[in-house]
Amino acid sequence: VDRALEVNPEVRAAAYDVAAAGAKLDEVRAARFLPRFELTQYFGPSPAARGDINTARSDWGDLSVFERTEISLVQPLYTWGKGRAAQDAAAAGVAVQTAGVDRRRADLVLRVKELYYGLLLVRQLYDAAVESRDDLKDARVKLLEKIDAGSEEVTYNDLYKLDTFTFKVDQGLHRAEKEMALTRSAFRTTLALAPADSFDADAEGLEQETVEIGPLDVYVAKALKDRPEMRALAAGIEARRAQLRLARSDYYPQVFLWGQAKVGFAPNRDRQSGPFVRDDFNIRQVGALVGLQQSLSFG
């Protein structure tokens, strides 16, 4: 069981699903603060420009390189529970994936135990068939001796019945051999063993165990509470409820803070100082405002 849990790719894949869901939760948490914070750097050709708004002149024969840096940000201020709903949905997603890991682990443990005890069972049946076949061979020899001796206790009809039963025992023996080989092969796959690796179950055979069965409703209640499928289902419902709250928040206006800063410089252009003059090559600009965004697609 320990080896299967360690090497089985399904369990490892489920663990990666948990990690991915956890990363999504971290992403949602981070999105509550500066979900858009960008820096952009520009470089390009700049034609010369001298003078002011009244005496401006441009010279395309005198080219230089300008540089401009832009920083922009958006910070949500009030979203009617959108951030909390998104975080709850992501957290429920982590719970769903975690329950998925537990389910795959439980399924794998059950599969290993079925293979283990199945191997013990088929080996015990094989040994019993071999023993029965040996006993039938001895019985056939004694039966032939009695027939040759003219005994009235047995007839050739008894010999034919014995041979028929021996044939059925041989069939069971071959079937047990085939089942043993299939079980070993399935075990090797489950444990990621190479075909050349020696492998066998440690126990000699099945042992009878005494099991006390309690009231049915106790087991039903325990399964409804502890089974990973039920925990995944409960977490999935919580995720859907959070997504519902997330969708409902779109009915209300989203309030946010928007800010931007630009700094640009071109060495072959005169900087303009008038408030109504704009030069995207030489620029210094910073500002912030509070915005309100309302989706009108209620349908």
Side-chain angles (χ1 to χ4, degrees), residues 95-109:
V96 170
Q97 297 300 337
T98 302
V101 172
D102 295 340
R103 178 180 180 180
R104 294 195 182 185
R105 288 175 63 90
D107 290 343
L108 181 61
V109 170

Side-chain angles (χ1 to χ4, degrees), residues 65-125:
V65 177
F66 83 96
E67 177 273 334
R68 183 168 75 243
T69 302
E70 294 184 5
I71 297 177
S72 62
L73 62 89
V74 172
Q75 172 59 53
L77 297 179
Y78 193 75
T79 59
W80 301 91
K82 182 185 290 288
R84 170 55 62 181
Q87 185 171 329
D88 290 345
V94 174
V96 170
Q97 297 300 337
T98 302
V101 172
D102 295 340
R103 178 180 180 180
R104 294 195 182 185
R105 288 175 63 90
D107 290 343
L108 181 61
V109 170
L110 175 61
R111 191 189 319 161
V112 170
K113 290 184 177 182
E114 288 175 340
L115 289 172
Y116 183 82
Y117 290 111
L119 181 59
L120 296 183
L121 172 62
V122 73
R123 190 167 63 185
Q124 194 164 331
L125 292 174

